[in-house]
Amino acid sequence: MRNLTPQQHAYAVWVSEIMCQQTQVATVIDYYTRWMTKWPTVAALSQATEDEVQQMWAGLGYYSRGQRLLKAAKHVMNQLGGQLPQTRDALQKHICGVGKYSASAIASVAFGQRVGVVDGNVERVLSRLRMITNMIHSKPVNQVWETLLHNEVCVTGSLCAVVM
């Protein structure tokens, strides 16, 4: 990847996270490349029309995701001074369509924050490492995973990103 500012990198991670939700990476690559060529920054995306975004998103499915990216880009430019928030909590609070997983990915990958989130893949990896075979998807066990991930695995944002 070319030299990006932290904000440009955060935008690129954000777009890829949203595109990869419920879509295979192999399918996303061409869409992502076209998107980032047309709108390489939050500022550029904020100038797009809903029709342009809809047309660019065509074929990816879950069309509301593209519209939420546009809405959020406009919010970032108009309300946040053109800067994406740098923490998981702030990303979730201020960027529509960004939940805990995506916020964690953006915060750890783009900003080096020590945050991780437990999804099914992380549960399986941690269960194997700890040799736990039952109740791995329960809420109490998930809280243990979150603590373990934060305290023992995510010693840097880069390691969090690898686990996710």
Side-chain angles (χ1 to χ4, degrees), residues 15 19 23 26-37 55-61 63:
V15 170
M19 285 187 171
T23 307
T27 302
V28 168
I29 292 170
D30 288 339
Y31 287 91
Y32 176 82
T33 301
R34 287 192 303 271
W35 183 283
M36 294 304 289
T37 299
Q55 184 178 14
M56 183 70 75
W57 202 272
L60 264 180
Y63 292 92

PDB file of all heavy atoms in Angstrom, residues 15 19 23 26-37 55-61 63:
ATOM      1  N   VAL A  15     -13.629   1.243   4.775  1.00  0.00           N
ATOM      2  CA  VAL A  15     -14.304   0.793   3.544  1.00  0.00           C
ATOM      3  C   VAL A  15     -14.181  -0.727   3.393  1.00  0.00           C
ATOM      4  O   VAL A  15     -15.163  -1.410   3.108  1.00  0.00           O
ATOM      5  CB  VAL A  15     -13.736   1.524   2.305  1.00  0.00           C
ATOM      6  CG1 VAL A  15     -14.254   0.894   1.011  1.00  0.00           C
ATOM      7  CG2 VAL A  15     -14.080   3.008   2.361  1.00  0.00           C
ATOM      8  N   MET A  19     -17.284  -3.399   3.337  1.00  0.00           N
ATOM      9  CA  MET A  19     -17.480  -4.227   2.148  1.00  0.00           C
ATOM     10  C   MET A  19     -17.391  -5.718   2.464  1.00  0.00           C
ATOM     11  O   MET A  19     -18.097  -6.526   1.856  1.00  0.00           O
ATOM     12  CB  MET A  19     -16.463  -3.869   1.069  1.00  0.00           C
ATOM     13  CG  MET A  19     -16.751  -2.593   0.365  1.00  0.00           C
ATOM     14  SD  MET A  19     -15.609  -2.364  -1.026  1.00  0.00           S
ATOM     15  CE  MET A  19     -16.359  -0.943  -1.808  1.00  0.00           C
ATOM     16  N   THR A  23     -19.641 -10.783   2.979  1.00  0.00           N
ATOM     17  CA  THR A  23     -19.220 -10.937   1.587  1.00  0.00           C
ATOM     18  C   THR A  23     -17.798 -11.492   1.580  1.00  0.00           C
ATOM     19  O   THR A  23     -16.961 -11.053   2.360  1.00  0.00           O
ATOM     20  CB  THR A  23     -19.243  -9.573   0.855  1.00  0.00           C
ATOM     21  OG1 THR A  23     -20.530  -8.977   1.015  1.00  0.00           O
ATOM     22  CG2 THR A  23     -18.950  -9.736  -0.625  1.00  0.00           C
ATOM     23  N   ALA A  26     -12.648 -12.390  -1.783  1.00  0.00           N
ATOM     24  CA  ALA A  26     -12.381 -12.530  -3.221  1.00  0.00           C
ATOM     25  C   ALA A  26     -13.385 -11.726  -4.056  1.00  0.00           C
ATOM     26  O   ALA A  26     -13.021 -11.156  -5.095  1.00  0.00           O
ATOM     27  CB  ALA A  26     -12.421 -14.002  -3.625  1.00  0.00           C
ATOM     28  N   THR A  27     -14.612 -11.650  -3.589  1.00  0.00           N
ATOM     29  CA  THR A  27     -15.638 -10.874  -4.281  1.00  0.00           C
ATOM     30  C   THR A  27     -15.401  -9.382  -4.105  1.00  0.00           C
ATOM     31  O   THR A  27     -15.640  -8.586  -5.015  1.00  0.00           O
ATOM     32  CB  THR A  27     -17.036 -11.242  -3.744  1.00  0.00           C
ATOM     33  OG1 THR A  27     -17.246 -12.633  -3.931  1.00  0.00           O
ATOM     34  CG2 THR A  27     -18.139 -10.456  -4.432  1.00  0.00           C
ATOM     35  N   VAL A  28     -14.922  -8.989  -2.948  1.00  0.00           N
ATOM     36  CA  VAL A  28     -14.777  -7.576  -2.600  1.00  0.00           C
ATOM     37  C   VAL A  28     -13.622  -6.893  -3.323  1.00  0.00           C
ATOM     38  O   VAL A  28     -13.694  -5.697  -3.620  1.00  0.00           O
ATOM     39  CB  VAL A  28     -14.609  -7.441  -1.064  1.00  0.00           C
ATOM     40  CG1 VAL A  28     -14.161  -6.046  -0.674  1.00  0.00           C
ATOM     41  CG2 VAL A  28     -15.900  -7.806  -0.363  1.00  0.00           C
ATOM     42  N   ILE A  29     -12.566  -7.601  -3.638  1.00  0.00           N
ATOM     43  CA  ILE A  29     -11.326  -6.978  -4.125  1.00  0.00           C
ATOM     44  C   ILE A  29     -11.558  -6.018  -5.288  1.00  0.00           C
ATOM     45  O   ILE A  29     -11.096  -4.864  -5.248  1.00  0.00           O
ATOM     46  CB  ILE A  29     -10.272  -8.049  -4.483  1.00  0.00           C
ATOM     47  CG1 ILE A  29      -9.811  -8.744  -3.194  1.00  0.00           C
ATOM     48  CG2 ILE A  29      -9.090  -7.431  -5.218  1.00  0.00           C
ATOM     49  CD1 ILE A  29      -8.948  -9.976  -3.428  1.00  0.00           C
ATOM     50  N   ASP A  30     -12.267  -6.438  -6.321  1.00  0.00           N
ATOM     51  CA  ASP A  30     -12.497  -5.549  -7.467  1.00  0.00           C
ATOM     52  C   ASP A  30     -13.349  -4.337  -7.089  1.00  0.00           C
ATOM     53  O   ASP A  30     -13.091  -3.224  -7.545  1.00  0.00           O
ATOM     54  CB  ASP A  30     -13.143  -6.303  -8.624  1.00  0.00           C
ATOM     55  CG  ASP A  30     -12.181  -7.253  -9.308  1.00  0.00           C
ATOM     56  OD1 ASP A  30     -10.948  -7.060  -9.183  1.00  0.00           O
ATOM     57  OD2 ASP A  30     -12.651  -8.206  -9.956  1.00  0.00           O
ATOM     58  N   TYR A  31     -14.371  -4.568  -6.269  1.00  0.00           N
ATOM     59  CA  TYR A  31     -15.226  -3.462  -5.825  1.00  0.00           C
ATOM     60  C   TYR A  31     -14.405  -2.453  -5.019  1.00  0.00           C
ATOM     61  O   TYR A  31     -14.520  -1.245  -5.209  1.00  0.00           O
ATOM     62  CB  TYR A  31     -16.387  -3.977  -4.963  1.00  0.00           C
ATOM     63  CG  TYR A  31     -17.445  -4.684  -5.749  1.00  0.00           C
ATOM     64  CD1 TYR A  31     -17.394  -6.051  -5.958  1.00  0.00           C
ATOM     65  CD2 TYR A  31     -18.519  -3.976  -6.292  1.00  0.00           C
ATOM     66  CE1 TYR A  31     -18.370  -6.707  -6.682  1.00  0.00           C
ATOM     67  CE2 TYR A  31     -19.511  -4.620  -7.016  1.00  0.00           C
ATOM     68  CZ  TYR A  31     -19.430  -5.989  -7.214  1.00  0.00           C
ATOM     69  OH  TYR A  31     -20.402  -6.635  -7.928  1.00  0.00           O
ATOM     70  N   TYR A  32     -13.601  -2.976  -4.104  1.00  0.00           N
ATOM     71  CA  TYR A  32     -12.772  -2.124  -3.253  1.00  0.00           C
ATOM     72  C   TYR A  32     -11.804  -1.298  -4.100  1.00  0.00           C
ATOM     73  O   TYR A  32     -11.668  -0.087  -3.884  1.00  0.00           O
ATOM     74  CB  TYR A  32     -12.002  -2.984  -2.247  1.00  0.00           C
ATOM     75  CG  TYR A  32     -11.044  -2.198  -1.389  1.00  0.00           C
ATOM     76  CD1 TYR A  32     -11.488  -1.521  -0.263  1.00  0.00           C
ATOM     77  CD2 TYR A  32      -9.694  -2.122  -1.728  1.00  0.00           C
ATOM     78  CE1 TYR A  32     -10.605  -0.781   0.520  1.00  0.00           C
ATOM     79  CE2 TYR A  32      -8.808  -1.388  -0.945  1.00  0.00           C
ATOM     80  CZ  TYR A  32      -9.272  -0.725   0.167  1.00  0.00           C
ATOM     81  OH  TYR A  32      -8.396   0.009   0.929  1.00  0.00           O
ATOM     82  N   THR A  33     -11.167  -1.922  -5.063  1.00  0.00           N
ATOM     83  CA  THR A  33     -10.208  -1.222  -5.925  1.00  0.00           C
ATOM     84  C   THR A  33     -10.898  -0.098  -6.699  1.00  0.00           C
ATOM     85  O   THR A  33     -10.387   1.029  -6.759  1.00  0.00           O
ATOM     86  CB  THR A  33      -9.529  -2.218  -6.887  1.00  0.00           C
ATOM     87  OG1 THR A  33      -8.868  -3.216  -6.105  1.00  0.00           O
ATOM     88  CG2 THR A  33      -8.529  -1.530  -7.794  1.00  0.00           C
ATOM     89  N   ARG A  34     -12.060  -0.390  -7.269  1.00  0.00           N
ATOM     90  CA  ARG A  34     -12.794   0.646  -8.014  1.00  0.00           C
ATOM     91  C   ARG A  34     -13.236   1.783  -7.084  1.00  0.00           C
ATOM     92  O   ARG A  34     -13.138   2.958  -7.431  1.00  0.00           O
ATOM     93  CB  ARG A  34     -14.004   0.036  -8.734  1.00  0.00           C
ATOM     94  CG  ARG A  34     -13.627  -0.800  -9.951  1.00  0.00           C
ATOM     95  CD  ARG A  34     -14.839  -1.143 -10.812  1.00  0.00           C
ATOM     96  NE  ARG A  34     -15.889  -1.845 -10.102  1.00  0.00           N
ATOM     97  CZ  ARG A  34     -15.971  -3.171  -9.989  1.00  0.00           C
ATOM     98  NH1 ARG A  34     -15.054  -3.940 -10.562  1.00  0.00           N
ATOM     99  NH2 ARG A  34     -16.959  -3.736  -9.339  1.00  0.00           N
ATOM    100  N   TRP A  35     -13.748   1.398  -5.908  1.00  0.00           N
ATOM    101  CA  TRP A  35     -14.214   2.387  -4.924  1.00  0.00           C
ATOM    102  C   TRP A  35     -13.079   3.328  -4.527  1.00  0.00           C
ATOM    103  O   TRP A  35     -13.226   4.552  -4.529  1.00  0.00           O
ATOM    104  CB  TRP A  35     -14.749   1.661  -3.694  1.00  0.00           C
ATOM    105  CG  TRP A  35     -15.333   2.547  -2.631  1.00  0.00           C
ATOM    106  CD1 TRP A  35     -14.649   3.302  -1.737  1.00  0.00           C
ATOM    107  CD2 TRP A  35     -16.721   2.752  -2.367  1.00  0.00           C
ATOM    108  NE1 TRP A  35     -15.520   3.959  -0.904  1.00  0.00           N
ATOM    109  CE2 TRP A  35     -16.799   3.645  -1.270  1.00  0.00           C
ATOM    110  CE3 TRP A  35     -17.901   2.266  -2.930  1.00  0.00           C
ATOM    111  CZ2 TRP A  35     -18.011   4.047  -0.734  1.00  0.00           C
ATOM    112  CZ3 TRP A  35     -19.104   2.671  -2.384  1.00  0.00           C
ATOM    113  CH2 TRP A  35     -19.159   3.554  -1.315  1.00  0.00           C
ATOM    114  N   MET A  36     -11.936   2.758  -4.158  1.00  0.00           N
ATOM    115  CA  MET A  36     -10.820   3.561  -3.673  1.00  0.00           C
ATOM    116  C   MET A  36     -10.190   4.395  -4.791  1.00  0.00           C
ATOM    117  O   MET A  36      -9.604   5.443  -4.522  1.00  0.00           O
ATOM    118  CB  MET A  36      -9.771   2.671  -3.007  1.00  0.00           C
ATOM    119  CG  MET A  36     -10.278   1.996  -1.730  1.00  0.00           C
ATOM    120  SD  MET A  36     -10.920   3.133  -0.473  1.00  0.00           S
ATOM    121  CE  MET A  36      -9.400   3.906   0.061  1.00  0.00           C
ATOM    122  N   THR A  37     -10.322   3.950  -6.036  1.00  0.00           N
ATOM    123  CA  THR A  37      -9.851   4.747  -7.165  1.00  0.00           C
ATOM    124  C   THR A  37     -10.755   5.970  -7.347  1.00  0.00           C
ATOM    125  O   THR A  37     -10.282   7.082  -7.550  1.00  0.00           O
ATOM    126  CB  THR A  37      -9.810   3.899  -8.448  1.00  0.00           C
ATOM    127  OG1 THR A  37      -8.893   2.821  -8.252  1.00  0.00           O
ATOM    128  CG2 THR A  37      -9.387   4.722  -9.653  1.00  0.00           C
ATOM    129  N   GLN A  55     -24.631   2.817  -7.634  1.00  0.00           N
ATOM    130  CA  GLN A  55     -24.105   2.217  -8.860  1.00  0.00           C
ATOM    131  C   GLN A  55     -22.783   1.499  -8.587  1.00  0.00           C
ATOM    132  O   GLN A  55     -22.556   0.384  -9.061  1.00  0.00           O
ATOM    133  CB  GLN A  55     -23.919   3.293  -9.927  1.00  0.00           C
ATOM    134  CG  GLN A  55     -23.468   2.758 -11.262  1.00  0.00           C
ATOM    135  CD  GLN A  55     -23.339   3.869 -12.304  1.00  0.00           C
ATOM    136  OE1 GLN A  55     -23.344   5.048 -11.989  1.00  0.00           O
ATOM    137  NE2 GLN A  55     -23.211   3.463 -13.553  1.00  0.00           N
ATOM    138  N   MET A  56     -21.904   2.117  -7.811  1.00  0.00           N
ATOM    139  CA  MET A  56     -20.608   1.514  -7.492  1.00  0.00           C
ATOM    140  C   MET A  56     -20.796   0.253  -6.639  1.00  0.00           C
ATOM    141  O   MET A  56     -20.043  -0.700  -6.764  1.00  0.00           O
ATOM    142  CB  MET A  56     -19.731   2.533  -6.757  1.00  0.00           C
ATOM    143  CG  MET A  56     -18.348   2.037  -6.439  1.00  0.00           C
ATOM    144  SD  MET A  56     -17.267   1.826  -7.877  1.00  0.00           S
ATOM    145  CE  MET A  56     -16.875   3.522  -8.241  1.00  0.00           C
ATOM    146  N   TRP A  57     -21.810   0.246  -5.782  1.00  0.00           N
ATOM    147  CA  TRP A  57     -22.049  -0.874  -4.872  1.00  0.00           C
ATOM    148  C   TRP A  57     -22.789  -2.022  -5.570  1.00  0.00           C
ATOM    149  O   TRP A  57     -22.797  -3.153  -5.066  1.00  0.00           O
ATOM    150  CB  TRP A  57     -22.863  -0.391  -3.662  1.00  0.00           C
ATOM    151  CG  TRP A  57     -22.717  -1.257  -2.470  1.00  0.00           C
ATOM    152  CD1 TRP A  57     -23.471  -2.368  -2.157  1.00  0.00           C
ATOM    153  CD2 TRP A  57     -21.759  -1.138  -1.422  1.00  0.00           C
ATOM    154  NE1 TRP A  57     -23.044  -2.914  -0.975  1.00  0.00           N
ATOM    155  CE2 TRP A  57     -21.989  -2.179  -0.499  1.00  0.00           C
ATOM    156  CE3 TRP A  57     -20.727  -0.245  -1.160  1.00  0.00           C
ATOM    157  CZ2 TRP A  57     -21.230  -2.347   0.648  1.00  0.00           C
ATOM    158  CZ3 TRP A  57     -19.981  -0.406  -0.016  1.00  0.00           C
ATOM    159  CH2 TRP A  57     -20.226  -1.447   0.859  1.00  0.00           C
ATOM    160  N   ALA A  58     -23.388  -1.762  -6.710  1.00  0.00           N
ATOM    161  CA  ALA A  58     -24.217  -2.753  -7.402  1.00  0.00           C
ATOM    162  C   ALA A  58     -23.484  -4.081  -7.554  1.00  0.00           C
ATOM    163  O   ALA A  58     -22.361  -4.132  -8.056  1.00  0.00           O
ATOM    164  CB  ALA A  58     -24.639  -2.229  -8.774  1.00  0.00           C
ATOM    165  N   GLY A  59     -24.120  -5.134  -7.077  1.00  0.00           N
ATOM    166  CA  GLY A  59     -23.552  -6.468  -7.154  1.00  0.00           C
ATOM    167  C   GLY A  59     -22.987  -6.967  -5.833  1.00  0.00           C
ATOM    168  O   GLY A  59     -22.797  -8.160  -5.651  1.00  0.00           O
ATOM    169  N   LEU A  60     -22.713  -6.062  -4.891  1.00  0.00           N
ATOM    170  CA  LEU A  60     -22.192  -6.474  -3.585  1.00  0.00           C
ATOM    171  C   LEU A  60     -23.300  -6.906  -2.630  1.00  0.00           C
ATOM    172  O   LEU A  60     -23.050  -7.613  -1.666  1.00  0.00           O
ATOM    173  CB  LEU A  60     -21.421  -5.322  -2.918  1.00  0.00           C
ATOM    174  CG  LEU A  60     -19.923  -5.298  -3.086  1.00  0.00           C
ATOM    175  CD1 LEU A  60     -19.324  -4.100  -2.357  1.00  0.00           C
ATOM    176  CD2 LEU A  60     -19.263  -6.565  -2.619  1.00  0.00           C
ATOM    177  N   GLY A  61     -24.525  -6.442  -2.882  1.00  0.00           N
ATOM    178  CA  GLY A  61     -25.629  -6.768  -1.987  1.00  0.00           C
ATOM    179  C   GLY A  61     -25.616  -5.886  -0.756  1.00  0.00           C
ATOM    180  O   GLY A  61     -24.709  -5.089  -0.550  1.00  0.00           O
ATOM    181  N   TYR A  63     -27.281  -3.215   0.099  1.00  0.00           N
ATOM    182  CA  TYR A  63     -27.034  -1.875  -0.444  1.00  0.00           C
ATOM    183  C   TYR A  63     -27.044  -0.775   0.609  1.00  0.00           C
ATOM    184  O   TYR A  63     -26.428   0.271   0.419  1.00  0.00           O
ATOM    185  CB  TYR A  63     -28.046  -1.561  -1.548  1.00  0.00           C
ATOM    186  CG  TYR A  63     -27.811  -2.426  -2.755  1.00  0.00           C
ATOM    187  CD1 TYR A  63     -28.481  -3.639  -2.906  1.00  0.00           C
ATOM    188  CD2 TYR A  63     -26.876  -2.065  -3.714  1.00  0.00           C
ATOM    189  CE1 TYR A  63     -28.227  -4.456  -3.992  1.00  0.00           C
ATOM    190  CE2 TYR A  63     -26.613  -2.871  -4.809  1.00  0.00           C
ATOM    191  CZ  TYR A  63     -27.299  -4.063  -4.941  1.00  0.00           C
ATOM    192  OH  TYR A  63     -27.043  -4.872  -6.019  1.00  0.00           O
TER     193      TYR A  63
END
